[in-house]
Amino acid sequence: MTTIIRQRAAASLDDVAGQLHDAFTAARDAVAAEEPVVFVAHGPDLLGQGSVQDGAVAGGLLGMMRALMFEGGRKGWHVNLVAVDPGVEPAPGLIEAAASLPDLNGQVLNASSGHIGKVIA
């Protein structure tokens, strides 16, 4: 089974803290059970195009995914992040790839359109 951890819009800093706490707990439980973890974050928030609170959640999920990969990649932990537009569900095939392809670990799979037309340096 795959654990999918989704970003929600954050209304306050307390909401940011709650979402990141819940994400950490879910991810910790998943890796302990040897389940893959797929974080789903809002692509525009990863680029700083949303609110400060939403950017904090997206950045926190990205950092958590990377930390889990660095700490547990050699232990067999499998974690990735899929970036989507707010209110859009990622394609099931993308979630499946993020969860199951062994050579894909610790990666951001960007399926959002928020970066289109932007210069990224």
Side-chain angles (χ1 to χ4, degrees):
M1 179 175 212
T2 299
T3 296
I4 301 171
I5 300 169
R6 290 179 169 81
Q7 176 183 357
R8 298 180 318 274
S12 67
L13 293 178
D14 288 337
D15 192 18
V16 171
Q19 282 194 59
L20 294 178
H21 175 269
D22 293 348
F24 174 81
T25 302
R28 179 192 62 201
D29 294 347
V31 297
E34 300 180 357
E35 295 177 358
V37 179
V38 178
F39 293 92
V40 178
H42 301 156
D45 294 332
L46 287 171
L47 297 175
Q49 297 172 346
S51 71
V52 171
Q53 294 93 331
D54 290 336
V57 173
L61 294 177
L62 175 61
M64 195 177 308
M65 180 273 295
R66 294 243 165 100
L68 287 168
M69 190 278 300
F70 286 126
E71 290 295 322
R74 293 188 182 189
K75 298 175 188 174
W77 300 356
H78 192 89
V79 294
N80 286 298
L81 183 141
V82 174
V84 296
D85 290 324
V88 174
E89 282 293 314
L94 191 56
I95 293 289
E96 178 64 27
S100 65
L101 291 176
D103 293 334
L104 192 65
N105 200 17
Q107 299 298 313
V108 175
L109 307 173
N110 193 348
S112 73
S113 62
H115 65 287
I116 296 173
K118 304 291 182 194
V119 176
I120 301 174

